[in-house]
Amino acid sequence: MKFTWMKWSALPVAVLMAGSVALAQDQSSSGSQQAPPAQAATPAPAAAPAEKPKPTVAQRKENQQDRIANGVQSGQLTAGETAKLEKKEAAINKETAADRAANGGKLTASEKKQVNHQQNQASKQIYADKHNANTAHYANNKVGQRRENQQDRIAQGVKSGQLTAGETAKLENQQKGINKQVAADRKANGGTLTASEKKQINKAQNGASKNIHNKKHNAKTQPQAQAQPKP
């Protein structure tokens, strides 16, 4: 009887111990499993690049003058083409100055829009003139070299701001007249120039040379645009 009681009393204890061992194994097994990998953080969207500031009226004007000067020096623009382009630039500059004077030195939004539209048209004309079939050819002789030298001096004056658009137009018209005279003389003499014609042309270029010097060293200058601030 005593043995039977001890047998049945030991059974719950054994069951309890078996349950404890199983629970410990479950905890150990679950602890040994690797935690799920953490999701990678979503990268922040890249910041949009800052918009390049639009050129000011003064910067646009200077850019046009630089393009004209390059065309003069490269021979892509003839004296006649340059004179027309500079007359157009002079008209835009004159209108801009009048608008500023009427508004205390500033331009209204509509005036800026109008100036920009006019410069767009001038820009197209510069491109067309620089890429058409008309070019300034300089012969390998004293007349051709003198002509090239005058054009280089004018181009340098345009780039440096020593020559305004109006002054450049007048100088180029003078060169156009000389070039026209040379072409007519050559045509009349089978492509050559007589000694008296060369003398006459040289005298005309001497007058043009003095005119270039005076206009480059007078009080009139082409204001240079300030550099754009970095974004």
Side-chain angles (χ1 to χ4, degrees):
M1 185 65 122
K2 183 178 180 180
F3 175 77
T4 303
W5 178 84
M6 289 178 65
K7 181 175 70 173
W8 291 109
S9 298
L11 184 59
V13 174
V15 172
L16 180 61
M17 289 180 65
S20 298
V21 171
L23 180 61
Q25 288 177 346
D26 288 344
Q27 290 177 344
S28 175
S29 175
S30 64
S32 64
Q33 291 179 358
Q34 294 182 353
Q39 293 183 350
T42 303
E51 290 186 7
K52 189 175 180 180
K54 293 181 179 179
T56 64
V57 171
Q59 289 164 345
R60 190 81 192 276
K61 179 171 67 174
E62 183 180 1
N63 179 56
Q64 304 284 58
Q65 290 301 113
D66 286 345
R67 292 174 62 202
I68 293 173
N70 288 336
V72 172
Q73 207 149 30
S74 67
Q76 289 175 290
L77 292 176
T78 65
E81 289 172 336
T82 305
K84 290 179 181 178
L85 291 172
E86 289 293 6
K87 282 182 179 178
K88 186 174 288 190
E89 286 296 317
I92 296 173
N93 297 341
K94 187 176 181 179
E95 181 182 339
T96 303
D99 289 340
R100 289 188 188 279
N103 297 310
K106 296 182 179 180
L107 295 174
T108 66
S110 61
E111 288 169 344
K112 288 180 181 179
K113 185 177 181 180
Q114 177 64 19
V115 171
N116 191 57
H117 175 73
Q118 291 171 334
Q119 287 288 24
N120 285 342
Q121 297 303 312
S123 179
K124 291 178 182 179
Q125 190 62 51
I126 292 170
Y127 180 88
D129 287 345
K130 288 177 71 174
H131 295 83
N132 62 15
N134 299 328
T135 56
H137 297 286
Y138 304 116
N140 294 323
N141 53 49
K142 289 184 179 181
V143 172
Q145 290 168 350
R146 188 80 190 275
R147 174 185 170 192
E148 182 177 4
N149 180 56
Q150 303 286 55
Q151 290 301 110
D152 286 344
R153 292 172 63 201
I154 293 172
Q156 188 275 333
V158 173
K159 274 196 169 184
S160 67
Q162 290 175 288
L163 292 175
T164 65
E167 289 174 332
T168 306
K170 291 177 181 178
L171 292 173
E172 289 292 3
N173 271 330
Q174 191 171 15
Q175 288 298 313
K176 179 183 176 183
I178 297 172
N179 297 341
K180 190 175 181 180
Q181 179 185 339
V182 172
D185 290 341
R186 288 188 185 280
K187 186 176 181 181
N189 299 309
T192 61
L193 295 173
T194 65
S196 62
E197 289 169 344
K198 290 179 181 178
K199 185 177 180 180
Q200 177 61 30
I201 292 166
N202 192 56
K203 182 179 179 181
Q205 286 288 25
N206 284 342
S209 180
K210 291 178 181 178
N211 207 10
I212 294 170
H213 177 86
N214 291 337
K215 290 187 184 305
K216 288 178 70 173
H217 295 86
N218 62 13
K220 297 179 181 179
T221 57
Q222 183 81 25
Q224 299 295 298
Q226 295 180 352
Q228 292 191 52
K230 292 184 179 180

